[in-house]
């Protein structure tokens, strides 16, 4: 049993090292054409080094420490999110950076890890109250507060991670399904409010199924009310927005409406990925990448650049590496005895994999452009540090799975 | 959680993951394996080009809907840096074809973006001669192509000062106009500047596939297109025909004509001379043309109607009379005996009429423009009394007419003199020459036109040029209504003295502008002759009419015109009478219309068809 466990974690380590290497060579390749290749390579290497030290530090500490400090760290992180709105630097229209000399730090990245630990502590300490409203509401508040602050910046992509993290951890903790519905109904209502027949149809199906299965009339009434309220509120709020705010959202949902920005990126990304073919064009030979057709090549679209030069074979390796991360993460979470450990493991896995899938499905044209980087691969200091710190936490739970 | 529960949870997560990762792999296989060769081809001839489509700027119309400014198509040459930069022979050829320095094309335009396929504008508004040359060389210049873009067109070339012009945005202006980029056109002066946001419209774009030569692929080349949105129209209060008349009256003169509709404050005529041909700015102005315009000593770029301050001379006498009567400094029966000069302290001030006017009362003081009357009145009012007289009619501050860089003019006050000369550095004698609009006092033609209107109606109205902004897309017209209307709080008895005096200027036997008598139209006015340190005196005339039912006011200034009656009055009088006649007898003018409209846009021809 133990030897098998170690062997499996070796796969996890190999996958992560592979992804970091992919990131390094892709950063070099995407900025090779304008002569800054080595610069990005070195910076990325620096962040990986720093992140590894951080991860090893986390690994060496007992998880108990994180459990104890959870709420303190969370509080500091929320404070830094407020601070960045006041004194932060502007970059591409969003106020999300602290500038320290030549180094920029993004508190929203650190808020992810702080929220994750706080949620894990809250849910593991109160397992008996999983069907109580207070616990559900507190968990929601913990996740939605930083999300709200990040939405103000505005950084829609990063903000989206929080409800997903919340949802995954609530399911994993075994929250009462009625609360999951409470979380899902407003989301469904907002998403379908633009299409009235669908909106109504979903409501009818829900009411019928709820009556047949649960028969808890007050509860069904609350959910229906919530659904209708959000459905009605969305168009009203929409009309209150300024045209440029509306445009930001329509572009987010439908990049074709902005051919200058998002659609151009998506088309170029698809050409880059597709033209890679089975075997790829070869290192530094990707025309899309080298001729700078591909925007944000070392950032959001780094996978497209890699897929162009390394083809379906290379892309498959990357996808499989992420799948190993996913599979091992869920397995570790299942194996852990302590609920806190287990929730940490699933939270880390869920967060990283959600970002991965959002990014990859975007580069192949299945999702709108969200601005989420590819974990472990994309260029970026804060993102790399936090991802490696999360990986450190995951390893820590894998190492300490026997603890109670 | 039970063991079974745990494994259910594990397997449901796993199934979810397998499905989504499976979808991803399926998609990758579809793009890379199935469609791979197709995409490979596309990336090799690459070329998706993103082209901005310029929005036509909003047109400007006169009060009858005739076009003052519109747009016409022009050819702009674009170059693809990636194709052109590496080929020095091609850049040389492009430079020759476009008559642009090839070195500038290579080093300034192309070099910073040499590795991209983003089209760069090489030259706007190619003239036909160059167009032919470019077409000849086209096959030898891969990566250069022409786009049709809207360009400003001035059907009559009227009122360039007031309309202003557009030109490429300057680097230092970029911060002031969020959303604009280097190379975009922006209004620089006049209405083009003030209403830039309304006129601009929204750029469109198209995404198209181009072949190796940079030409759009013929079928299915266009992948997506967002139409540009035309800018809003400016509906002005100008009258094109009378504006043209005023400009022709100013030919070979230096000066200005402003006419207002006294019932609304709308500017019907605003002409300034010398003028320039607005077309020089329509594309990209050559630097030699630009230098010539700027260095011309007569300053043709200056809108003299609002940007230049002159001593107003005797034209302000009605304001002085009104203040004298209103403040009680003089009574309506007051009068002076004019011997031809006036001595104050040790200085002697002359009346313009050497022999003197004899006895003059209030009416005759205006009709004959007696200076001695106003020297004495000015001394009674004092410098601050004169300041009140003028401030009442909004002299000394910009009128707020929608023009750029409007001058405020100047009315001296005690505070001003104390500041300028020190508390003991000036004497009451300074007031004497200010009383007849000389000395420190300065005003602009538009201020005087508004003043004439205020005397005529008893209400000062803010002059304005644009009274509506019309969006042709949504068919929405927003009327401007934020104009200042100052009911002057003057009794009509007091104003009637000024009006009567101004009527006598034209109709009195000794009136200074009696040559303006016209049997059919009774207009009132006031001449002014302002001393000029640089040469002959400037000639002013302000007027309004008809006397019983004022419709328009007009002000003319002729620099070096020698006298108001000789230079200003014929111009202002003719413009004012033309305006009134057009309103009272529109039929007289309609018959001429189709003739005049020959060159105008189709819309206007259709409009003219009503009375053919």
């Amino acid at each position: 049993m133990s030897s098998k466990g170690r062997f499996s974690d070796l796969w996890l380590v190999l996958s992560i090292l592979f992804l970091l290497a992919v990131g390094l060579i892709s950063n070099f390749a995407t900025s090779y054409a304008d002569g800054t290749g080595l610069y990005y390579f070195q910076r990325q290497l620096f962040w990986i080094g720093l992140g590894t030290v951080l991860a090893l530090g986390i690994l060496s500490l007992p998880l108990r420490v994180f459990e104890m400090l959870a709420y303190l760290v969370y509080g500091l992180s929320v404070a830094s999110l407020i601070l960045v709105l006041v004194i932060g630097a502007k970059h591409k229209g969003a106020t999300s950076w602290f500038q320290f000399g030549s180094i920029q730090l993004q508190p929203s990245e650190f808020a992810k890890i702080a929220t994750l630990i706080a949620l894990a502590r809250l849910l593991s300490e109160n397992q008996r109250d999983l069907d109580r409203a207070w616990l559900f509401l507190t968990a929601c508040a913990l996740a939605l507060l930083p999300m709200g602050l990040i939405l103000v910046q505005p950084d829609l992509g990063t903000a989206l991670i929080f409800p997903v993290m919340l949802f995954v951890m609530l399911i994993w903790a075994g929250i009462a399904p009625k609360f999951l519905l409470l979380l899902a109904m407003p989301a469904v209502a907002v998403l379908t409010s633009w299409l009235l027949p669908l909106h109504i149809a979903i409501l009818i199906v829900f009411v019928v199924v709820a009556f047949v299965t649960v028969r808890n009339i007050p509860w069904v009434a609350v959910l229906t009310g919530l659904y209708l309220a959000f459905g009605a509120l969305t168009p009203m709020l929409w009309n209150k927005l300024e045209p440029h705010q509306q445009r930001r959202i329509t572009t987010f949902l439908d990049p074709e409406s902005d051919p200058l920005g998002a659609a151009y990126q998506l088309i170029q990304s698809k050409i880059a990925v597709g033209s890679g073919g089975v075997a790829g064009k070869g290192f530094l030979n990707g025309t899309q990448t080298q001729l700078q057709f591909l925007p944000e090549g070392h950032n959001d679209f780094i996978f497209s650049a890699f897929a162009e030069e390394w083809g379906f074979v290379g892309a498959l390796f990357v996808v499989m590496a992420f799948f190993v991360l996913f599979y091992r993460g869920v397995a570790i979470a299942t194996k852990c005895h302590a609920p806190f450990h287990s929730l940490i493991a699933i939270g880390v896995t869920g967060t990283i994999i959600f970002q991965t899938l959002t990014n990859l499905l975007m580069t192949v044209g299945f999702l709108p452009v969200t601005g989420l980087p590819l974990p472990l691969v994309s260029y970026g200091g804060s993102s790399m540090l936090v991802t490696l710190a999360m990986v450190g936490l995951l390893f820590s739970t894998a190492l300490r799975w026997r603890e109670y | 959680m039970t063991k079974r529960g745990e494994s259910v949870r594990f397997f449901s997560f796993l199934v979810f993951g397998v499905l989504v990762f499976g979808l991803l792999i399926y998609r990758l296989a579809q793009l890379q394996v199935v469609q791979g060769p197709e995409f490979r081809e596309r990336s090799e001839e690459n070329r998706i080009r993103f082209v901005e489509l310029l929005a036509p700027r909003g047109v400007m119309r006169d009060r009858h809907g005739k076009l003052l400014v519109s747009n016409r198509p022009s050819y702009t040459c674009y170059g693809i840096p990636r194709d052109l930069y590496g080929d020095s022979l091609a850049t040389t050829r492009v430079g020759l074809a476009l008559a642009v320095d090839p070195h500038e094309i290579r080093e300034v335009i192309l070099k910073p973006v040499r590795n991209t396929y983003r089209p760069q504008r090489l030259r706007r508004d190619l003239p036909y001669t160059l167009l032919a040359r470019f077409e000849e060389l086209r096959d030898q210049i891969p990566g250069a192509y022409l786009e049709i873009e809207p360009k400003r067109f001035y059907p009559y070339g009227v009122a360039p000062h007031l309309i202003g012009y557009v030109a490429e945005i300057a680097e230092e202006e970029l911060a002031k106009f969020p959303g604009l980029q280097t190379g975009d056109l922006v209004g620089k002066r006049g209405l083009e500047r003030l209403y830039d946001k309304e006129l601009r419209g929204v750029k469109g774009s198209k995404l198209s596939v181009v072949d190796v030569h940079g030409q759009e692929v013929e079928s299915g080349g266009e992948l997506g297109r967002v139409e540009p949105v035309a800018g809003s129209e400016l509906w002005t209060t100008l009258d094109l025909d009378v504006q043209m008349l005023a400009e022709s009256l100013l030919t070979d003169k230096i000066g200005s004509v402003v006419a207002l509709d006294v019932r609304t404050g709308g500017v019907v005529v605003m002409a300034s001379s010398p003028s320039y041909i607005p077309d020089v700015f329509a594309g990209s102005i050559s630097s030699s043309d630009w230098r010539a315009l700027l260095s011309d000593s007569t300053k043709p770029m200056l809108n003299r109607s609002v940007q230049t301050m002159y001593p107003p001379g005797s034209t302000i006498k009605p304001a002085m009379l009104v203040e004298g009567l209103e403040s009680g400094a003089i009574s309506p029966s007051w009068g002076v005996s004019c011997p031809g000069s006036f001595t104050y302290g040790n200085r002697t001030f002359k009346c313009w009429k050497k022999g003197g006017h004899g006895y003059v009362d209030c009416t005759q003081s205006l009709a004959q423009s007696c200076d001695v009357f106003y020297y004495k009145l000015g001394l009674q009012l004092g410098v601050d009394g004169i300041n009140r007289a003028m401030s009442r009619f909004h002299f000394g501050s910009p009128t707020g007419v929608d023009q750029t860089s409007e001058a405020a003019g100047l009315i001296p006050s005690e505070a001003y003199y104390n500041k300028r000369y020190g508390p003991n550095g000036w004497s009451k004698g300074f007031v004497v020459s200010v009383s007849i609009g000389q000395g420190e006092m300065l005003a602009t033609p538009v201020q005087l036109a508004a003043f004439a209107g205020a005397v005529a109606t008893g209400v000062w109205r803010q002059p304005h040029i644009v009274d509506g902004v019309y969006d042709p897309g949504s068919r929405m017209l927003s009327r401007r209504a934020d104009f200042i209307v100052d009911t002057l709080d003057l009794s009509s008895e007091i104003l009637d003295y000024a009006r009567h005096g101004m009527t006598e200027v034209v109709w009195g036997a000794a009136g200074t502008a009696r040559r303006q008598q016209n049997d059919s139209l009774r207009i009132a006015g006031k001449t002014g002759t302002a001393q000029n340190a640089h040469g002959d005196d400037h000639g002013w005339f302000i007027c309004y009419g008809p006397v019983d039912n004022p419709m328009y006011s007009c002000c003319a200034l002729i620099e070096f015109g020698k006298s108001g009656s000789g230079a200003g009055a014929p111009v202002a009088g003719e413009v004012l009478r033309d305006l009134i006649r057009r309103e009272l007898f529109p039929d007289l003018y309609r018959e001429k219309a189709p003739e005049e409209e020959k060159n105008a846009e189709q819309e206007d021809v259709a409009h003219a068809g009503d009375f053919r």
Side-chain angles (χ1 to χ4, degrees), chain A residues 372-396:
Chain A
L372 278 181
L374 186 60
L376 301 168
V377 182
S378 285
Y379 177 78
S382 301
S383 157
M384 180 60 78
L385 282 187
V386 170
T387 310
L388 284 176
M390 290 205 284
V391 168
L393 279 176
L394 182 62
F395 277 120
S396 182

Side-chain angles (χ1 to χ4, degrees), chain B residues 103-116:
Chain B
H103 183 262
E104 190 194 318
I105 291 184
R106 263 182 75 78
E107 301 301 319
V108 182
I109 303 178
L110 299 177
K111 195 172 179 187
V113 284
R114 60 185 177 280
N115 274 330
T116 70

